[in-house]
Amino acid sequence: MAYVLNTKTNLATIYTTFKGVAWINYNRFLINRPIHTSNEEVNIDWYRKRKVKKQHRRCPEEYLLKLELKRYVNSTIRTYVHFFEHFINQYPHIDLQTINESHIQAYLLLLIR
């Protein structure tokens, strides 16, 4: 996913770049106003300050920063953090960097069953 400022120049660049390659419905690009104006401020300090059990693995800071940068609402962040931590705590003795596709598939099968 990429974010581009909503300007006439950027719209022209997108249209020129993808002309003949992809169909673009750019009706929403022409509206230069926020879609949601009542979103609460993104704040994930609640996550960093919360107390957890000693053996519980927390989401990596990089994951939290990604959620902040994407400007997800707090309820979405809570959900994503909850389920990501549920996943990584299924493999408490495996380094996060070594979790692979087979671990993900096994976890998904566990959820299905």
Side-chain angles (χ1 to χ4, degrees), residues 31-37:
I31 302 169
N32 198 9
R33 61 182 170 77
I35 295 172
H36 302 287
T37 58

Side-chain angles (χ1 to χ4, degrees), residues 1 4 7 15 18 26 39-40 44 50-51 54-55 57 61-62 66 85 94-95 99 110-111:
M1 180 179 286
V4 180
T7 65
Y15 185 74
F18 292 102
Y26 58 93
N39 284 354
E40 58 186 303
I44 59 171
R50 71 189 171 121
K51 294 183 180 182
K54 188 174 182 177
Q55 302 294 357
R57 293 169 84 174
E61 182 65 22
E62 297 83 3
K66 184 87 160 183
E85 286 184 349
I94 299 175
D95 182 62
I99 291 178
L110 175 72
L111 292 178

